[in-house]
């Protein structure tokens, strides 16, 4: 007796051949070729009445050779008649021998393929090499259309490799936990043979179906699965790769047409998966290390970007956000807070207008705040993800909030596609680090601006300016190392004193900002007080050292030149405390002298010894003072301007006259450094135009004893003149 059936229905009834078969058994499970794979289309026999020899699977698991014929009959609907009967013993024996030879050939082919997989992965150094070899060998061994591998992440399985035969195919990038065939295989604990049923006519008429029915070949159970989570196969084997109690990967070996898959196929793939588990675990650890190193490089790039931008401009901040998004293959969306309305608005990707967020983001981030920064994961199905999905924009990722900066809250969405992989732990940590860097840069810039204003306020009443002193012509220049430099520690002053005396001060306080500015202000005020007390320069510096040791809470020190000019006596008494040596250009000879008497720095140690130096002055002599920013100026290649370079420049420029000499020296330094100063530059020049009334009197007295005709002494014609007679 033979049943009537529909080839598309794949169902068989009961008959006497040679034992009873229960109703509802799938035809593909009941009959299979004695030799070779099943015919295309899923049925192992033709439906045109031709007779073929097949194997019939009995309830006890044994296979019986049978002769099968199937043909259409005149009956309502799509009805076929299938007749099956046992073959004679001789024919059966011949077919059984042929079947055994075929199965032995297949076993040898698969054993060879398995050995190639093992040998080819022994020396695999990275994930790419491992998967590249394994996937291609599996495809060849199983004579499949293609092979795919996914690796386990925090929230699902992420695509990590596929065979070259699937290039251009629509392969899911991510399989979330709890959804899809990967979950079915994980629950089963072993490889599953699966077949994707074709969509019905109604589904096709409504457009591309959003879901498909997947059938387990071993049990005929059907599962409805999202079409976006299915591989580009008609039949495939889904293999969980176990490492201990966890599935660390999913293998999918598939065929683009319905294919008969036997138990031995799934068993072979389970065996391969057991071997690959150790290799994948090791390669996975290496891959995560490489990924972490890649993200660390992006963090360094972000930090360098903010440093080289000279602050936190809108461009640099947006560049940092863009850098982070690119590293995560994500898009970002700026979120604005309206504190008056107590609401948040987001400019979502692809939308022209802001959208109000219908929930309080600050409540969501309460459990994620760390050091003032919150990175809140946005996972499939959560409140934020659903709202984003309603607007048909990427809905997986994170909400990043770096707090209120410059009066406004700075926050953004960093998003991936709805079916992409959520951010893993390393990526969330990366986002937090990037947010920390941007937050610190913004706060640092705000602090710098604030300190600059305070520094400028501190120095607004003590600007570097030279008082007018009768008998002395002065020049001064100051050049900052950066265009937006805060007020630094370079300072100078000329204090007019009684009895034709003056005190010249030029110094450099270590550091920048408020500390340096406050110390500079204190130093100038103290030196002015000391000068009016009539103290000698070394005495001033010694008192200043004691003062600074108790003044500065930080490790701040100063170098300085303090000189007292006595125009009447024609002398300069000075103390050079750790400062570059001053230069004295003699008007009479054109020689350039170095004032070599040196003492230690100020404000570094208690009990420092300071000494005075002394030099005579003549009319027209030029004193040049400068900070170490001059001699330490460097070319782009690193060569220093140096003291010798300064002496040469002074000698060359003095040949054109001393008027404007400092401007010309600064031009030389700018050219030498390509206008890239490493430190601030300050220079002061003093020309002594009227030197010595006491010296003039002595000169006139001595001239009376000289023979007539001497013209080296020219007495002043004005009894009140302060010019030096020499």
């Amino acid at each position: 007796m033979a049943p009537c059936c529909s080839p598309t229905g794949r169902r068989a009834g009961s008959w006497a051949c040679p034992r009873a078969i229960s109703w509802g058994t799938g035809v593909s499970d009941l009959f299979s070729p004695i030799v070779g794979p099943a015919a295309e289309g899923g049925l192992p026999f033709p439906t045109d009445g031709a007779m073929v020899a097949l194997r019939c699977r009995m309830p006890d698991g044994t296979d019986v050779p049978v002769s099968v014929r199937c043909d259409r009959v005149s009956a309502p609907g799509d009805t076929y008649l299938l007749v099956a009967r046992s073959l004679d013993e001789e024919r059966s024996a011949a077919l059984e021998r042929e079947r055994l030879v075929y199965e032995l050939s297949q076993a040898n082919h698969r054993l060879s393929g398995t050995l190639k997989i093992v040998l080819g992965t022994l020396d695999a150094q990275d994930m790419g090499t491992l998967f590249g070899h394994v996937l291609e060998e599996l495809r060849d061994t199983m004579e499949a259309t293609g092979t795919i591998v996914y690796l386990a992440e925090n929230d699902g399985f992420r695509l990590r490799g596929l065979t070259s035969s699937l290039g251009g195919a629509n392969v899911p990038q991510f399989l979330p936990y709890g959804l899809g065939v990967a979950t079915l295989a994980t629950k089963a604990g072993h490889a599953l043979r699966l077949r994707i049923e074709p969509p019905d006519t109604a589904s096709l008429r409504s457009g591309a179906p959003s879901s498909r029915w997947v059938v387990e070949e071993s049990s005929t159970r059907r599962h409805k699965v999202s079409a976006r989570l299915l591989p580009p196969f008609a039949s495939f084997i889904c293999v969980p790769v176990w490492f201990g109690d966890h599935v660390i990967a999913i293998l999918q070996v598939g065929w683009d047409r319905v294919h008969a898959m036997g138990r031995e196929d799934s068993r072979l793939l389970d065996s391969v998966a057991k071997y690959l588990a150790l290799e994948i675990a090791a390669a996975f650890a290496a891959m995560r290390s490489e990924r972490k190193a890649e993200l660390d490089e992006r963090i360094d790039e972000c930090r360098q970007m903010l440093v080289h931008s000279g602050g936190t401009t809108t461009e640099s901040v947006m560049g940092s956000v863009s850098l982070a998004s690119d590293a995560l293959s994500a898009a970002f969306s700026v979120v604005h807070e309206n504190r008056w309305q107590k609401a948040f608005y987001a400019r979502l990707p692809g939308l022209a207008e802001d959208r109000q967020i219908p929930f309080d983001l600050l409540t969501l981030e309460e459990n994620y705040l760390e050091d003032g920064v919150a990175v809140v994961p946005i996972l499939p199905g959560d409140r934020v993800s659903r709202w984003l999905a309603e607007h048909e924009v990427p809905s997986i990722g994170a909400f990043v909030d770096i707090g209120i900066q410059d009066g406004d809250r700075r926050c953004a969405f960093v998003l991936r596609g709805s079916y992409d992989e959520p951010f893993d732990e390393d990526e969330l940590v990366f986002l937090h680090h990037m947010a920390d860097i941007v937050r610190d840069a913004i706060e640092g810039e705000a602090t710098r601006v604030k300190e600059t204003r305070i520094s400028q306020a501190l120095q607004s009443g003590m600007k570097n300016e030279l008082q007018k002193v009768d008998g002395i012509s002065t020049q001064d220049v100051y050049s900052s190392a950066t265009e937006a430099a805060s007020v630094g520690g370079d300072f100078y002053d000329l204090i007019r004193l009684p009895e034709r005396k003056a005190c010249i001060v030029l110094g450099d306080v270590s550091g920048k900002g408020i500390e340096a500015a406050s110390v500079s202000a204190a130093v100038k005020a103290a030196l002015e007080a000391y000068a009016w007390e009539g103290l000698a320069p070394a005495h001033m510096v010694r008192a200043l050292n004691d003062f600074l040791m108790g003044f500065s809470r930080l490790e701040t020190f100063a170098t300085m030149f303090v000189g007292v000019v006595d125009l009447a006596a024609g002398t300069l008494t000075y103390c050079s405390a750790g400062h570059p040596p001053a230069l004295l250009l003699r008007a009479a000879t054109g020689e350039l002298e170095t004032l070599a008497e040196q003492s230690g720095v100020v404000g570094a140690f208690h009990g420092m010894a300071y000494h005075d130096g002394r030099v005579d002055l003549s009319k027209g002599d030029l004193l040049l003072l400068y900070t170490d920013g001059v001699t330490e100026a460097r070319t782009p290649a690193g060569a220093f301007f140096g003291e010798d370079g300064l002496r040469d420049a002074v000698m060359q420029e003095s040949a054109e006259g001393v008027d404007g000499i400092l401007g010309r020296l600064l031009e030389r330094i700018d050219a030498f450094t390509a206008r890239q100063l490493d430190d601030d530059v300050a220079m002061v020049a003093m020309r002594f135009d009227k030197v010595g009334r006491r010296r003039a009197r002595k000169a006139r007295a001595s001239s009376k004893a000289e023979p007539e005709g001497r013209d080296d002494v020219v007495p002043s014609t004005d009894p009140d003149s302060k010019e030096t007679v020499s």
Side-chain angles (χ1 to χ4, degrees):
M1 181 178 68
C4 291
C5 69
S6 167
T8 58
R10 297 170 61 86
R11 300 290 176 188
S14 59
W15 68 85
C17 170
R19 294 191 179 100
I21 300 297
S22 61
W23 177 264
T25 303
V27 175
S28 296
D29 290 330
L30 185 62
F31 297 103
S32 60
I34 293 179
V35 179
E40 294 182 358
L43 293 175
F45 48 80
T47 57
D48 58 359
M51 184 175 294
V52 294
L54 299 173
R55 286 181 294 168
C56 180
R57 178 63 54 88
M58 306 308 294
D60 61 2
T62 60
D63 291 334
V64 175
V66 295
S67 174
V68 174
R69 170 183 283 176
C70 181
D71 202 356
R72 188 163 189 164
V73 297
S74 299
D78 193 12
T79 306
Y80 289 78
L81 176 67
L82 185 149
V83 178
R85 62 183 179 182
S86 299
L87 294 174
D88 58 74
E89 293 184 3
E90 183 177 352
R91 175 62 175 159
S92 297
L95 290 175
E96 180 65 13
R97 285 193 298 272
E98 187 177 351
R99 181 185 67 81
L100 290 174
V101 170
Y102 174 79
E103 290 185 352
L104 179 61
S105 173
Q106 287 294 96
N108 287 335
H109 175 69
R110 293 183 177 181
L111 176 61
S112 174
T114 303
L115 289 174
K116 287 180 180 180
I117 291 173
V118 173
L119 295 176
T121 56
L122 288 177
D123 298 324
Q125 300 297 319
D126 54 59
M127 193 72 77
T129 303
L130 175 65
F131 289 152
H133 174 78
V134 169
L135 298 182
E136 295 294 345
E137 285 295 341
L138 277 178
R139 182 184 66 83
D140 293 342
T141 299
M142 302 301 296
E143 298 178 351
T145 301
T147 310
I148 305 169
V149 64
Y150 294 86
L151 289 187
E153 298 287 356
N154 287 346
D155 302 292
F157 297 95
R158 182 178 182 180
L159 179 66
R160 288 298 183 185
L162 45 80
T163 52
S164 58
S165 59
L166 296 178
N170 187 17
V171 179
Q173 300 293 307
F174 183 71
L175 306 177
Y177 290 146
L179 300 174
V181 294
T183 299
L184 297 178
T186 300
K187 290 180 178 179
H190 55 76
L192 287 182
R193 291 170 286 144
L194 304 170
R195 172 172 48 84
I196 302 175
E197 289 189 346
D200 55 31
T201 304
S203 298
L204 291 175
R205 286 175 179 172
S206 62
S210 60
S211 60
R212 302 281 293 276
W213 287 101
V214 177
V215 181
E216 293 184 39
E217 292 282 10
S218 59
S219 65
T220 69
R221 285 196 294 266
R222 300 168 78 232
H223 307 274
K224 196 171 187 179
V225 179
S226 170
R228 294 186 179 185
L229 301 179
L230 291 174
F233 304 132
S235 298
F236 64 102
I237 302 177
C238 187
V239 189
V241 180
W242 291 87
F243 186 76
D245 296 330
H246 302 280
V247 175
I248 61 173
I250 292 290
L251 288 171
Q252 293 179 347
V253 181
W255 296 262
D256 57 2
R257 298 187 179 185
V258 176
H259 179 82
M261 301 167 289
R263 293 179 181 176
E264 64 278 5
D265 295 330
S266 56
R267 289 171 181 169
L268 172 66
L269 291 177
D270 276 333
S271 298
V272 171
K274 289 179 181 178
Y275 164 74
L276 289 177
L278 291 174
E279 298 292 336
I280 290 176
F284 183 64
M287 182 192 67
R288 288 197 63 177
S289 297
E290 291 176 2
R291 175 60 171 164
K292 188 176 184 303
E294 177 186 344
L295 295 178
D296 288 343
E297 288 181 6
R298 297 296 179 272
I299 290 174
D300 290 338
E301 288 181 23
C302 174
R303 187 178 289 109
Q304 292 299 321
M305 177 187 299
L306 293 173
V307 169
H308 291 313
S309 68
T312 51
T313 62
T314 300
E315 292 76 11
S316 64
V317 171
M318 296 304 292
S320 300
V321 175
S322 177
L323 184 65
S325 301
D326 291 345
L328 299 175
S329 300
F332 71 89
S333 172
V334 177
V335 177
H336 304 282
E337 180 188 23
N338 187 319
R339 280 189 270 174
W340 296 104
Q341 299 178 355
K342 296 183 179 180
F344 286 87
Y345 295 83
R347 178 64 58 86
L348 299 177
L351 301 184
E353 298 180 355
D354 290 351
R355 295 291 191 273
Q356 182 175 352
I357 301 171
F359 39 81
D360 185 7
L361 291 175
L362 299 184
T363 302
L364 296 178
E365 69 180 35
E366 287 178 352
N367 296 327
Y368 296 93
L369 274 174
E370 184 178 345
D371 296 331
V373 170
V375 176
V376 184
I378 301 175
L379 302 175
D382 68 17
R383 190 176 183 182
V384 181
S385 179
R386 292 196 305 270
W387 178 75
L388 291 167
E390 290 173 1
H391 290 83
E392 299 182 346
V393 298
S395 59
I396 302 297
F399 169 67
V400 182
D401 182 5
I402 64 174
I404 296 176
Q405 308 292 336
D406 295 336
D408 295 316
R409 183 173 297 279
R410 305 290 185 94
C411 47
F413 288 131
V414 183
L415 302 172
R416 285 176 175 165
S418 302
Y419 286 89
D420 288 337
E421 175 194 9
F423 295 142
D424 61 27
E425 182 179 354
D426 289 338
E427 291 171 329
L428 291 173
V429 170
F430 164 75
L431 273 177
H432 205 292
H433 284 168
M434 292 288 280
D436 283 338
I437 291 172
V438 174
R439 187 271 314 272
D440 291 346
I442 293 174
E443 290 182 350
E445 178 68 8
T447 300
R448 190 195 68 80
V449 171
K450 181 179 179 181
E451 289 189 353
T452 298
R453 291 172 180 169
I454 295 174
S455 299
Q456 291 171 341
L458 284 171
Q459 292 195 342
S460 63
M462 44 153 285
K463 294 180 180 179
N464 288 324
E465 57 183 3
L466 304 174
Q467 297 180 16
K468 292 183 178 180
V469 177
D470 187 28
I472 301 177
S473 300
T474 60
Q475 304 173 44
D476 64 295
V477 294
Y478 177 86
S479 180
S480 173
T482 60
E483 291 182 3
S486 60
V487 177
D490 288 8
F491 62 93
Y492 51 86
D493 199 2
L494 179 61
I495 306 163
R496 183 172 61 247
L497 300 174
E499 300 180 354
R500 300 187 62 206
K501 293 182 180 180
C503 179
I504 179 64
V505 176
L506 184 140
D508 184 3
V509 173
S510 62
K512 298 287 182 184
I514 295 176
E515 180 73 14
S518 60
V519 172
S520 297
V523 166
K524 290 181 70 173
L527 287 175
E528 184 172 2
Y530 297 152
W532 278 97
E533 290 179 9
L535 300 181
H539 194 169
M540 293 187 206
V541 174
R542 190 177 305 111
L544 184 62
N545 184 69
D546 295 337
F547 171 68
L548 287 183
M549 291 302 296
F551 174 83
S552 177
R553 292 168 295 175
L554 303 178
E555 295 181 358
T556 302
F557 62 90
T559 68
M560 64 187 66
F561 179 96
V562 179
V564 174
V565 179
D566 188 339
L567 291 174
T571 60
L572 169 66
T573 305
Y574 68 92
C575 179
S576 182
H579 203 73
L583 300 177
L584 185 62
L585 181 63
R586 294 296 187 178
T589 63
E591 295 179 354
L592 189 63
E593 298 179 8
T594 299
L595 305 189
E597 184 69 35
Q598 287 289 325
S599 300
V601 298
V602 184
F605 304 101
H606 287 288
M608 287 287 290
Y610 299 100
H611 308 284
D612 281 333
R614 179 170 174 154
V615 63
D616 290 333
L617 301 176
S618 299
K619 180 182 177 180
D621 289 348
L622 184 75
L623 177 68
L624 176 63
L625 308 177
Y626 54 94
T627 58
D628 58 7
V630 173
T631 53
E632 293 180 2
R634 291 186 292 181
T635 65
F640 286 97
F641 193 66
E643 293 182 7
D644 290 340
L646 177 60
R647 291 178 63 89
D648 292 342
V650 171
M651 293 301 294
Q652 294 173 18
E653 295 298 338
S654 64
E656 298 183 14
V658 296
D659 290 337
I661 189 172
L662 294 188
R664 299 195 300 274
L665 288 175
L666 185 60
E667 290 177 359
R668 279 178 171 259
I669 294 171
D670 284 341
F672 184 81
T673 62
R675 296 186 179 275
Q676 297 294 324
L677 291 173
D678 293 327
D679 194 6
D680 297 348
V681 166
M683 291 186 287
V684 171
M686 301 173 62
R687 186 178 64 193
F688 305 105
D689 301 322
K690 299 178 181 180
V691 178
R693 185 161 56 186
R694 290 196 295 269
R695 290 180 59 187
R697 289 173 180 171
K698 291 179 181 179
R700 287 197 295 270
S702 62
S703 66
K704 295 178 179 179
E706 293 292 333
E708 293 185 5
R710 286 286 303 271
D711 58 0
D712 56 339
V713 177
V714 182
S716 173
T717 58
D718 183 356
D720 295 325
S721 174
K722 300 177 182 178
E723 291 185 359
T724 300
V725 179
S726 58

